[in-house]
């Protein structure tokens, strides 16, 4: 697609495209490292620096450039290839099928408050507190201002909405409409918001969107480094997250036919970086060892203080984070998966850029996070992309001819590989004997699809005539190395936790999050991405973080349980543990995981 660029010296093409409403992929947040923001120039080509030349190869001569590194001071027209346009990921909103326990922090009470009399001219706030039998009632100024009118209704019928039985959020004459709650899973890539009726626990709407912060980088490290450069950057990222939540709450309320000002409480879970960026907390502590967060405990504050457009006195609750890279999303996922009530050893994995892992047994709760890298989200993979339409999500190779059949999201022509497609491709090639044990291609393999590319040998999964962008879709030796790094990190984390409890393998593995949900357990087991369990003991549990956030919203008991769970979790800092490097290196090999049990 063509994009007319205005003459604006000092602005990059990436910024200008964003201003024109055309989101480009920006995996590294505009640092010129990921090569995802490619555009083709027309007319004159500006000189090429060394870093771009290395990333773009031969095509730079035909005008290919990185939008984040290129300016066009006199304006003009650039061509944006389809693969550079920001893709909207298929967003997983379903969680575990948990029946919500209902005991919300926000309760609506109807009561009759007697009028003041000459014999007993008691203050309105005192009369309300007495009727509520709460002597230490916290009545904010905004409620005090509304009190005379609310208590002046005929018959004295009043509806008071209380938070945790002690703070008045609203008071109105007569009967008030239902109080609503919003549970939000604020992910690095996607944001999901669930609207709930707090009176009866009815789910009213679910809305999801891409996290708009992706324009400052795909992964948390890019965003942390962007935020650390300038306080204005931190404010920008916080504002983007808040704007996204406001948009989702408006959409959810619109679908349910209610007003956002009926939302009296909002619970937000996310990884520690998202938690800090949302609150505008300095994330620099997360950028280097010992990765200490600013805040670990749960936090309650007025939602309006962050700019959330809900009820004026709505409460915002952020559950606790455990460590720099084990956030409240992991705590919420552990809650939804019942990690504190397991009867057999259970490994809960959320495989993103940072693989968050929890190992639960009836006696112990361990957690760690491991830098799996961005491969499973399409980063650092030549034709990697998010799980959006056009992404290959499944691949099968004919065992005799090695001819691939591709399963593509949306059913059209393939454009790239998402995480599950990448694992599927690697697993099929491994099963077909195309890979060597130490990684890379089997040197004995000769095949018309295995050829020399500009990054070494590569296997063509789809020829140009079959793809959506008219380019061969190939899996490179460097892509294989990225998968090895990711699986090495995940296996090392899992093994260290298992060994700490004297276990060779868990009894079951639960996969949380989108990637885990779409992953074929057989593929993951065959390439040693998961510890050795029988295939039927591996199960996807959907958006467990979102399900946990809903439980925390709906019930004070579950909120307390999440706090207790966060406290009980013992965090292991893998890099500080002896043996991590050995296990990491062992985990990189393409060997069936030791002792894998048959189905
Ligand atoms: S190279 Fe331009 S955003 Fe990464």
């Amino acid at each position: 697609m063509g994009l007319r660029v205005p003459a604006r010296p000092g602005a990059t093409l990436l910024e200008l495209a964003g201003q024109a409403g055309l989101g480009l992929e920006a995996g590294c947040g505009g640092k010129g490292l990921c090569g995802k923001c490619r555009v083709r120039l027309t007319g004159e080509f500006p000189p090429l620096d060394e870093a771009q030349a290395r990333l773009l190869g031969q095509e730079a001569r035909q005008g290919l450039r990185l939008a984040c590194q290129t300016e066009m001071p006199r304006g003009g027209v650039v061509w944006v290839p389809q693969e550079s346009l920001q893709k909207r990921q298929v967003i997983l909103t379903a969680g575990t099928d948990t029946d919500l326990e209902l005991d919300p922090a926000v309760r609506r009470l109807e009561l009759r408050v007697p009028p003041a009399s000459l014999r007993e001219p008691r203050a309105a706030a005192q009369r309300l507190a007495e009727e509520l039998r709460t002597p230490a009632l916290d009545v904010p100024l905004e409620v005090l201002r509304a009190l005379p009118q609310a208590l002046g209704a005929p018959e004295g019928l009043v509806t008071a909405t209380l938070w945790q039985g002690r703070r008045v959020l609203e008071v109105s004459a007569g009967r008030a409409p239902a109080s609503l709650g919003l549970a939000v899973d604020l992910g690095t890539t996607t944001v999901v918001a669930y609207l709930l009726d707090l009176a009866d626990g009815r789910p009213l709407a679910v809305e999801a969107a891409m996290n708009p912060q992706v324009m400052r980088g795909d992964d948390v490290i890019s965003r942390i480094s962007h935020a650390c450069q300038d306080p204005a950057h931190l404010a920008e990222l916080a504002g983007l997250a808040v704007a996204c939540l406001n948009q989702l709450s408006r959409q959810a309320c619109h679908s349910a036919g209610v007003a956002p000002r009926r939302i009296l409480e909002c619970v937000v879970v996310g990884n520690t970086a998202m938690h800090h960026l949302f609150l505008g907390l300095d994330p620099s502590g997360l950028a280097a060892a010992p990765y200490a967060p600013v805040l670990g405990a749960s936090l309650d504050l007025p939602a309006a203080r962050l700019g959330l457009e809900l009820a004026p006195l709505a409460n915002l609750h952020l559950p606790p984070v455990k460590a720099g890279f084990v956030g409240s999303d992991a705590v919420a996922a552990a809650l939804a998966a019942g990690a504190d009530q397991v009867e057999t050893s259970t490994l809960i994995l959320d495989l993103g850029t940072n693989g968050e892992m929890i190992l639960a047994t009836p006696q112990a709760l361990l957690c760690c996070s491991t830098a799996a890298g961005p491969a499973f989200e399409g980063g650092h993979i030549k034709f990697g992309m998010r799980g959006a339409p056009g992404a290959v999500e499944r691949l099968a190779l004919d065992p005799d001819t090695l001819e691939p059949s591709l399963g593509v999201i949306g059913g059209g022509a393939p454009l790239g590989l998402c995480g599950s497609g990448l694992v599927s491709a690697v697993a099929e090639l491994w099963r077909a004997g195309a890979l060597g044990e130490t990684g890379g291609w089997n040197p004995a393999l000769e095949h018309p699809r295995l050829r020399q590319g500009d990054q070494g040998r590569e296997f063509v999964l789809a020829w140009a005539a079959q793809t959506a962008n008219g380019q061969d879709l190939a899996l490179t030796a460097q892509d294989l190395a990225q998968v090895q790094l990711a699986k090495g990190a995940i296996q090392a984390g899992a093994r260290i936790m298992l060994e700490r409890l004297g276990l060779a393998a868990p009894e079951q593995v639960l996969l949380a999050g989108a990637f885990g949900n779409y992953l074929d357990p057989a593929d993951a087991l065959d390439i040693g991405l998961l510890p050795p369990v029988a295939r039927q003991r591996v199960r996807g549990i959907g958006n467990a973080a979102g399900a946990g956030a809903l439980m925390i919203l709906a019930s004070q008991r579950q909120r307390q349980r999440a706090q207790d769970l966060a406290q009980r979790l013992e965090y292991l800092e893998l890099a500080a543990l002896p043996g991590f490097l050995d296990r990491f290196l062992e985990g990189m090999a393409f060997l069936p995981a030791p002792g894998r049990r048959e189905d």
Side-chain angles (χ1 to χ4, degrees), residues 65-215:
R65 292 291 184 277
L66 298 176
C68 67
Q69 303 299 308
T70 307
E71 294 177 17
M72 224 182 206
R74 282 184 283 157
V77 174
V78 296
W79 184 255
V80 182
Q82 198 186 351
E83 60 270 25
S84 298
L85 290 172
Q86 205 176 80
K87 318 291 177 312
R88 193 179 189 281
Q89 179 160 329
V90 176
I91 301 177
L92 180 68
T93 55
T96 45
D97 290 331
T98 328
D99 276 340
L100 284 179
E101 181 179 310
L102 197 62
D103 161 32
V106 171
R107 280 176 194 269
R108 206 171 36 138
L109 299 167
E110 288 176 4
L111 58 152
R112 288 183 195 281
V113 180
S117 66
L118 276 175
R119 275 187 47 194
E120 288 189 277
R122 290 168 303 147
Q126 186 187 350
R127 282 180 282 133
L128 179 68
E130 283 170 4
E131 284 311 304
L132 288 168
R133 296 197 179 83
T134 311
L137 192 67
D138 174 4
V139 191
L141 180 61
E142 293 84 343
V143 175
L144 288 174
R145 285 178 177 153
L147 213 46
Q149 200 182 5
L151 300 196
E155 314 286 313
L157 183 66
V158 171
T159 305
T161 307
L162 267 63
W163 182 75
Q164 292 202 334
R166 56 187 154 87
R167 191 165 85 221
V168 186
L169 299 179
E170 268 185 0
V171 63
S172 57
R175 294 203 158 83
S179 303
L180 309 177
L182 194 71
V184 179
D185 173 21
L186 178 58
T188 310
T189 310
T190 58
V191 185
V192 185
Y194 304 82
L195 184 66
L196 195 72
D197 186 322
L198 293 175
D200 56 15
R202 236 173 351 121
L204 299 178
V206 185
E207 293 291 336
M210 295 294 290
N211 185 332
Q213 296 174 343
V214 291
M215 69 177 173

Side-chain angles (χ1 to χ4, degrees), residues 14 25-37 55 66-69:
L14 182 66
E25 291 285 339
C28 64
K31 295 201 178 59
L33 300 173
C34 68
K36 297 279 180 194
C37 63
L55 262 173
L66 298 176
C68 67
Q69 303 299 308

Side-chain angles (χ1 to χ4, degrees), residues 553-572:
L553 174 67
S555 160
Q556 295 181 87
R557 194 181 78 86
Q558 298 299 338
R559 191 170 299 192
Q560 184 57 49
R561 202 176 135 207
Q563 309 260 22
D564 297 344
L565 220 154
Q567 282 220 314
R568 267 190 67 201
L569 275 171
E570 182 188 345
Y571 174 67
L572 304 183

Side-chain angles (χ1 to χ4, degrees), residues 351-574:
L351 301 175
T353 311
N354 298 296
E356 292 169 347
M357 309 185 194
I358 292 170
L359 179 61
T361 70
Q363 295 78 30
L365 268 173
L366 301 183
C367 68
C368 70
S369 90
T370 179
F376 299 140
E377 290 171 0
H380 298 179
I381 299 296
K382 187 170 181 191
F383 292 97
M385 63 181 284
R386 297 194 191 99
V392 174
E393 58 172 343
R394 197 79 75 222
L395 181 140
L397 286 180
D398 183 303
D400 299 322
T401 63
L402 296 192
E403 278 307 301
S405 323
L406 309 180
V408 179
I409 297 178
L415 187 59
L417 282 168
C418 65
S420 61
L422 177 67
V423 172
S424 177
V426 172
E428 276 292 84
L429 287 160
W430 164 237
R431 288 188 284 254
L435 307 183
E437 285 186 356
T438 53
W441 303 104
N442 180 347
L445 180 71
E446 300 274 343
H447 193 277
R449 286 180 178 268
L450 189 62
R451 67 177 185 195
Q452 193 63 31
D454 55 4
Q455 296 180 358
R457 286 174 96 203
E458 60 185 25
F459 190 89
V460 180
L461 301 172
W463 299 108
Q466 303 157 341
T467 64
N469 58 359
Q471 284 184 53
D472 290 345
L473 169 56
L475 187 75
T476 69
Q478 287 183 20
D479 298 340
L480 293 175
Q482 290 295 327
V483 173
Q484 286 184 279
L485 288 172
K487 80 188 200 74
I490 290 162
Q491 214 183 91
R495 274 184 66 190
I496 284 182
M497 288 201 301
L498 288 162
E499 285 167 11
R500 173 69 68 110
L501 300 184
L503 300 170
E507 288 297 316
Q508 63 170 341
V509 175
L510 304 180
L511 299 173
F515 171 57
N517 220 58
Y518 298 123
L519 191 65
D520 183 331
D523 292 339
L525 288 164
D526 281 354
I527 66 166
L529 182 61
L530 301 179
V533 291
R535 181 185 166 170
Q536 64 271 25
R537 304 292 291 168
V538 180
R539 186 161 60 85
I541 54 171
N543 182 2
L550 266 171
M551 291 166 71
I552 293 168
L553 174 67
S555 160
Q556 295 181 87
R557 194 181 78 86
Q558 298 299 338
R559 191 170 299 192
Q560 184 57 49
R561 202 176 135 207
Q563 309 260 22
D564 297 344
L565 220 154
Q567 282 220 314
R568 267 190 67 201
L569 275 171
E570 182 188 345
Y571 174 67
L572 304 183
E573 179 54 60
L574 294 177

